[in-house]
Short mmCIF file of all heavy atoms in Angstrom, two decimals:
data_model
loop_
_atom_site.label_atom_id
_atom_site.label_comp_id
_atom_site.label_asym_id
_atom_site.label_seq_id
_atom_site.Cartn_x
_atom_site.Cartn_y
_atom_site.Cartn_z
N THR A 79 33.34 21.41 28.60
CA THR A 79 33.26 22.49 29.59
C THR A 79 32.87 21.95 30.95
O THR A 79 33.40 22.37 31.98
CB THR A 79 32.26 23.57 29.12
OG1 THR A 79 32.68 24.06 27.84
CG2 THR A 79 32.16 24.71 30.10
N ARG A 80 31.92 21.01 30.97
CA ARG A 80 31.51 20.43 32.25
C ARG A 80 32.67 19.73 32.94
O ARG A 80 32.87 19.88 34.15
CB ARG A 80 30.34 19.45 32.06
CG ARG A 80 29.64 19.14 33.40
CD ARG A 80 28.85 17.84 33.42
NE ARG A 80 29.78 16.72 33.51
CZ ARG A 80 30.07 15.89 32.51
NH1 ARG A 80 29.52 16.01 31.33
NH2 ARG A 80 30.93 14.91 32.68
N LEU A 81 33.48 18.99 32.17
CA LEU A 81 34.66 18.36 32.77
C LEU A 81 35.58 19.42 33.37
O LEU A 81 36.09 19.25 34.48
CB LEU A 81 35.43 17.54 31.72
CG LEU A 81 34.89 16.18 31.33
CD1 LEU A 81 35.82 15.53 30.32
CD2 LEU A 81 34.70 15.27 32.54
N GLU A 82 35.79 20.51 32.64
CA GLU A 82 36.67 21.58 33.12
C GLU A 82 36.11 22.21 34.40
O GLU A 82 36.87 22.50 35.34
CB GLU A 82 36.86 22.64 32.04
CG GLU A 82 37.67 22.12 30.87
CD GLU A 82 37.66 23.03 29.64
OE1 GLU A 82 36.77 23.92 29.55
OE2 GLU A 82 38.54 22.84 28.79
N GLU A 83 34.81 22.40 34.45
CA GLU A 83 34.18 22.96 35.65
C GLU A 83 34.34 22.02 36.83
O GLU A 83 34.60 22.46 37.97
CB GLU A 83 32.70 23.25 35.39
CG GLU A 83 32.48 24.41 34.43
CD GLU A 83 31.05 24.50 33.91
OE1 GLU A 83 30.23 23.58 34.15
OE2 GLU A 83 30.76 25.51 33.22
N GLU A 84 34.19 20.73 36.60
CA GLU A 84 34.37 19.76 37.67
C GLU A 84 35.82 19.72 38.13
O GLU A 84 36.09 19.59 39.34
CB GLU A 84 33.89 18.38 37.22
CG GLU A 84 32.38 18.29 37.07
CD GLU A 84 31.88 16.95 36.57
OE1 GLU A 84 32.69 16.00 36.40
OE2 GLU A 84 30.66 16.84 36.33
N ILE A 85 36.75 19.81 37.21
CA ILE A 85 38.17 19.86 37.58
C ILE A 85 38.42 21.07 38.47
O ILE A 85 39.05 20.95 39.54
CB ILE A 85 39.07 19.93 36.31
CG1 ILE A 85 39.02 18.61 35.55
CG2 ILE A 85 40.51 20.28 36.70
CD1 ILE A 85 39.61 18.68 34.14
N ASP A 86 37.93 22.23 38.07
CA ASP A 86 38.12 23.45 38.86
C ASP A 86 37.52 23.30 40.26
O ASP A 86 38.14 23.70 41.25
CB ASP A 86 37.52 24.66 38.15
CG ASP A 86 38.28 25.05 36.89
OD1 ASP A 86 39.43 24.59 36.70
OD2 ASP A 86 37.71 25.81 36.08
N ALA A 87 36.32 22.75 40.34
CA ALA A 87 35.65 22.58 41.64
C ALA A 87 36.44 21.63 42.54
O ALA A 87 36.61 21.90 43.73
CB ALA A 87 34.22 22.10 41.44
N MET A 88 36.91 20.50 41.99
CA MET A 88 37.66 19.54 42.80
C MET A 88 39.01 20.11 43.21
O MET A 88 39.52 19.80 44.28
CB MET A 88 37.87 18.23 42.02
CG MET A 88 36.63 17.39 41.86
SD MET A 88 36.98 15.77 41.12
CE MET A 88 37.49 16.19 39.45
N ASN A 89 39.59 20.93 42.37
CA ASN A 89 40.93 21.47 42.60
C ASN A 89 40.93 22.68 43.53
O ASN A 89 41.97 23.04 44.06
CB ASN A 89 41.54 21.87 41.25
CG ASN A 89 43.03 21.67 41.19
OD1 ASN A 89 43.62 20.98 42.02
ND2 ASN A 89 43.65 22.27 40.20
N ALA A 90 39.76 23.29 43.75
CA ALA A 90 39.66 24.57 44.45
C ALA A 90 40.33 24.57 45.83
O ALA A 90 41.01 25.54 46.17
CB ALA A 90 38.20 24.99 44.58
N ASP A 91 40.16 23.52 46.61
CA ASP A 91 40.74 23.54 47.94
C ASP A 91 41.87 22.53 48.12
O ASP A 91 42.24 22.20 49.24
CB ASP A 91 39.66 23.37 49.02
CG ASP A 91 38.64 22.31 48.70
OD1 ASP A 91 38.49 21.96 47.53
OD2 ASP A 91 37.97 21.84 49.64
N LEU A 92 42.45 22.07 47.02
CA LEU A 92 43.63 21.22 47.11
C LEU A 92 44.87 22.10 47.22
O LEU A 92 44.94 23.18 46.62
CB LEU A 92 43.77 20.33 45.87
CG LEU A 92 42.75 19.21 45.72
CD1 LEU A 92 42.97 18.47 44.41
CD2 LEU A 92 42.84 18.24 46.89
N SER A 93 45.85 21.64 47.96
CA SER A 93 47.10 22.39 48.05
C SER A 93 47.83 22.30 46.71
O SER A 93 47.73 21.30 46.00
CB SER A 93 47.97 21.86 49.18
OG SER A 93 48.23 20.48 49.00
N PRO A 94 48.57 23.36 46.36
CA PRO A 94 49.31 23.34 45.09
C PRO A 94 50.33 22.20 45.07
O PRO A 94 50.86 21.80 46.10
CB PRO A 94 50.02 24.69 45.06
CG PRO A 94 49.31 25.54 46.06
CD PRO A 94 48.73 24.61 47.09
N LEU A 95 50.58 21.70 43.88
CA LEU A 95 51.58 20.64 43.72
C LEU A 95 52.97 21.20 43.99
O LEU A 95 53.33 22.26 43.50
CB LEU A 95 51.54 20.08 42.30
CG LEU A 95 50.33 19.22 41.95
CD1 LEU A 95 50.32 18.89 40.47
CD2 LEU A 95 50.33 17.95 42.78
N THR A 96 53.75 20.47 44.79
CA THR A 96 55.14 20.83 45.05
C THR A 96 56.09 19.72 44.61
O THR A 96 57.29 19.87 44.69
CB THR A 96 55.35 21.11 46.54
OG1 THR A 96 54.99 19.94 47.28
CG2 THR A 96 54.50 22.29 47.01
N SER A 97 55.51 18.62 44.15
CA SER A 97 56.29 17.46 43.75
C SER A 97 55.45 16.65 42.78
O SER A 97 54.22 16.80 42.73
CB SER A 97 56.61 16.60 44.98
OG SER A 97 57.19 15.37 44.62
N PHE A 98 56.10 15.77 42.04
CA PHE A 98 55.33 14.80 41.27
C PHE A 98 54.67 13.84 42.25
O PHE A 98 55.15 13.64 43.37
CB PHE A 98 56.23 14.03 40.30
CG PHE A 98 56.67 14.83 39.12
CD1 PHE A 98 57.97 15.29 39.03
CD2 PHE A 98 55.79 15.14 38.10
CE1 PHE A 98 58.38 16.04 37.94
CE2 PHE A 98 56.19 15.88 37.01
CZ PHE A 98 57.50 16.33 36.93
N ILE A 99 53.57 13.27 41.83
CA ILE A 99 52.81 12.36 42.67
C ILE A 99 52.98 10.95 42.15
O ILE A 99 52.85 10.70 40.95
CB ILE A 99 51.32 12.75 42.65
CG1 ILE A 99 51.14 14.13 43.27
CG2 ILE A 99 50.47 11.73 43.37
CD1 ILE A 99 49.75 14.67 43.10
N LEU A 100 53.27 10.04 43.07
CA LEU A 100 53.32 8.63 42.69
C LEU A 100 51.89 8.11 42.59
O LEU A 100 51.04 8.45 43.42
CB LEU A 100 54.09 7.82 43.74
CG LEU A 100 55.55 8.20 43.94
CD1 LEU A 100 56.18 7.32 45.02
CD2 LEU A 100 56.32 8.09 42.65
N PRO A 101 51.60 7.32 41.58
CA PRO A 101 50.24 6.79 41.45
C PRO A 101 50.01 5.67 42.46
O PRO A 101 50.22 4.51 42.18
CB PRO A 101 50.18 6.29 40.00
CG PRO A 101 51.60 6.11 39.59
CD PRO A 101 52.44 6.98 40.46
N GLY A 102 49.62 6.07 43.66
CA GLY A 102 49.40 5.11 44.72
C GLY A 102 48.60 5.71 45.83
O GLY A 102 48.04 6.79 45.71
N GLY A 103 48.57 5.01 46.94
CA GLY A 103 47.75 5.39 48.08
C GLY A 103 46.76 4.27 48.32
O GLY A 103 47.11 3.10 48.27
N SER A 104 45.53 4.64 48.54
CA SER A 104 44.49 3.62 48.73
C SER A 104 44.20 2.93 47.40
O SER A 104 44.63 3.38 46.33
CB SER A 104 43.21 4.27 49.26
OG SER A 104 42.61 5.06 48.25
N MET A 105 43.43 1.86 47.48
CA MET A 105 43.05 1.14 46.26
C MET A 105 42.30 2.06 45.30
O MET A 105 42.58 2.10 44.11
CB MET A 105 42.20 -0.08 46.61
CG MET A 105 41.76 -0.88 45.39
SD MET A 105 43.14 -1.61 44.47
CE MET A 105 43.56 -2.95 45.57
N ALA A 106 41.35 2.83 45.82
CA ALA A 106 40.55 3.71 44.96
C ALA A 106 41.42 4.78 44.31
O ALA A 106 41.28 5.05 43.11
CB ALA A 106 39.41 4.34 45.75
N VAL A 107 42.31 5.40 45.07
CA VAL A 107 43.20 6.43 44.51
C VAL A 107 44.08 5.80 43.44
O VAL A 107 44.25 6.36 42.35
CB VAL A 107 44.06 7.09 45.62
CG1 VAL A 107 45.14 7.98 45.02
CG2 VAL A 107 43.18 7.90 46.57
N SER A 108 44.63 4.64 43.72
CA SER A 108 45.50 3.96 42.75
C SER A 108 44.75 3.64 41.47
O SER A 108 45.28 3.81 40.36
CB SER A 108 46.05 2.66 43.36
OG SER A 108 46.82 2.95 44.51
N LEU A 109 43.50 3.20 41.60
CA LEU A 109 42.72 2.86 40.41
C LEU A 109 42.33 4.10 39.61
O LEU A 109 42.24 4.03 38.38
CB LEU A 109 41.49 2.04 40.81
CG LEU A 109 41.80 0.63 41.30
CD1 LEU A 109 40.58 -0.03 41.91
CD2 LEU A 109 42.38 -0.22 40.18
N LEU A 110 42.12 5.22 40.28
CA LEU A 110 41.87 6.47 39.54
C LEU A 110 43.11 6.87 38.75
O LEU A 110 43.01 7.31 37.60
CB LEU A 110 41.45 7.59 40.50
CG LEU A 110 40.03 7.50 41.02
CD1 LEU A 110 39.82 8.48 42.18
CD2 LEU A 110 39.02 7.76 39.91
N HIS A 111 44.29 6.71 39.35
CA HIS A 111 45.53 7.00 38.62
C HIS A 111 45.71 6.04 37.44
O HIS A 111 46.15 6.45 36.36
CB HIS A 111 46.74 6.93 39.55
CG HIS A 111 46.95 8.14 40.38
ND1 HIS A 111 47.25 9.38 39.84
CD2 HIS A 111 46.90 8.33 41.73
CE1 HIS A 111 47.39 10.26 40.81
NE2 HIS A 111 47.17 9.66 41.96
N LEU A 112 45.37 4.77 37.63
CA LEU A 112 45.46 3.81 36.53
C LEU A 112 44.50 4.21 35.41
O LEU A 112 44.88 4.21 34.23
CB LEU A 112 45.14 2.40 37.02
CG LEU A 112 45.17 1.30 35.97
CD1 LEU A 112 46.55 1.15 35.36
CD2 LEU A 112 44.71 -0.02 36.58
N ALA A 113 43.28 4.58 35.75
CA ALA A 113 42.31 5.01 34.75
C ALA A 113 42.83 6.25 34.01
O ALA A 113 42.64 6.38 32.80
CB ALA A 113 40.96 5.30 35.40
N ARG A 114 43.49 7.15 34.73
CA ARG A 114 44.08 8.33 34.10
C ARG A 114 45.11 7.92 33.05
O ARG A 114 45.12 8.45 31.93
CB ARG A 114 44.76 9.22 35.16
CG ARG A 114 45.55 10.37 34.57
CD ARG A 114 46.39 11.09 35.62
NE ARG A 114 47.23 10.22 36.43
CZ ARG A 114 48.42 9.77 36.05
NH1 ARG A 114 48.92 10.07 34.87
NH2 ARG A 114 49.13 9.01 36.86
N GLY A 115 45.96 6.96 33.38
CA GLY A 115 46.96 6.49 32.42
C GLY A 115 46.33 5.85 31.19
O GLY A 115 46.78 6.07 30.06
N VAL A 116 45.28 5.09 31.40
CA VAL A 116 44.59 4.45 30.28
C VAL A 116 43.90 5.52 29.42
O VAL A 116 43.90 5.44 28.19
CB VAL A 116 43.60 3.38 30.76
CG1 VAL A 116 42.83 2.77 29.61
CG2 VAL A 116 44.33 2.28 31.54
N ALA A 117 43.33 6.55 30.06
CA ALA A 117 42.72 7.64 29.31
C ALA A 117 43.76 8.39 28.47
O ALA A 117 43.48 8.79 27.34
CB ALA A 117 42.00 8.61 30.25
N ARG A 118 44.96 8.56 29.01
CA ARG A 118 46.03 9.21 28.23
C ARG A 118 46.38 8.38 27.00
O ARG A 118 46.62 8.90 25.93
CB ARG A 118 47.28 9.40 29.09
CG ARG A 118 47.24 10.58 29.98
CD ARG A 118 47.62 11.84 29.22
NE ARG A 118 47.72 12.94 30.15
CZ ARG A 118 47.11 14.10 30.00
NH1 ARG A 118 46.35 14.33 28.95
NH2 ARG A 118 47.26 15.04 30.88
N ARG A 119 46.41 7.06 27.17
CA ARG A 119 46.70 6.19 26.03
C ARG A 119 45.59 6.29 24.98
O ARG A 119 45.85 6.33 23.78
CB ARG A 119 46.88 4.74 26.49
CG ARG A 119 47.37 3.83 25.38
CD ARG A 119 47.72 2.44 25.85
NE ARG A 119 46.56 1.77 26.37
CZ ARG A 119 46.52 1.09 27.52
NH1 ARG A 119 47.58 1.00 28.28
NH2 ARG A 119 45.41 0.49 27.91
N ALA A 120 44.35 6.37 25.43
CA ALA A 120 43.22 6.55 24.50
C ALA A 120 43.36 7.87 23.76
O ALA A 120 43.09 7.94 22.55
CB ALA A 120 41.89 6.49 25.26
N GLU A 121 43.79 8.89 24.46
CA GLU A 121 44.01 10.19 23.80
C GLU A 121 45.09 10.09 22.73
O GLU A 121 44.92 10.60 21.61
CB GLU A 121 44.39 11.25 24.83
CG GLU A 121 44.63 12.61 24.22
CD GLU A 121 45.13 13.65 25.22
OE1 GLU A 121 45.50 13.28 26.37
OE2 GLU A 121 45.19 14.83 24.83
N ARG A 122 46.19 9.41 23.05
CA ARG A 122 47.26 9.25 22.05
C ARG A 122 46.76 8.49 20.83
O ARG A 122 47.09 8.83 19.69
CB ARG A 122 48.47 8.53 22.67
CG ARG A 122 49.24 9.37 23.67
CD ARG A 122 50.56 8.74 24.08
NE ARG A 122 50.45 7.40 24.61
CZ ARG A 122 50.25 7.10 25.89
NH1 ARG A 122 50.14 8.05 26.79
NH2 ARG A 122 50.19 5.84 26.28
N ALA A 123 45.93 7.46 21.04
CA ALA A 123 45.39 6.70 19.92
C ALA A 123 44.45 7.56 19.08
O ALA A 123 44.46 7.48 17.85
CB ALA A 123 44.66 5.45 20.43
N ALA A 124 43.65 8.40 19.72
CA ALA A 124 42.73 9.28 18.98
C ALA A 124 43.50 10.34 18.20
O ALA A 124 43.14 10.67 17.07
CB ALA A 124 41.74 9.92 19.94
N VAL A 125 44.57 10.86 18.80
CA VAL A 125 45.41 11.84 18.09
C VAL A 125 46.06 11.17 16.88
O VAL A 125 46.12 11.76 15.79
CB VAL A 125 46.45 12.46 19.04
CG1 VAL A 125 47.52 13.23 18.27
CG2 VAL A 125 45.76 13.39 20.05
#
């Protein structure tokens, strides 16, 4: 629930998605996208 609340708070003032996003930008943004991909792989392994 805490993760969901944090997602909602971070998402509150972001503009709606109108396109897919390339995992890039600054180094920090790129590394967050990389961590997201690794977390998805961990989820697949747990499933």
Side-chain angles (χ1 to χ4, degrees):
T79 302
R80 196 202 75 254
L81 282 182
E82 292 168 343
E83 290 167 352
E84 290 178 4
I85 291 167
D86 291 345
M88 288 187 293
N89 213 15
D91 44 339
L92 289 177
S93 57
L95 288 173
T96 58
S97 171
F98 286 106
I99 295 171
L100 298 179
S104 70
M105 180 63 75
V107 171
S108 299
L109 290 169
L110 285 168
H111 280 295
L112 179 62
R114 173 190 52 82
V116 177
R118 279 278 187 231
R119 188 173 64 226
E121 180 185 10
R122 289 190 304 271
V125 167

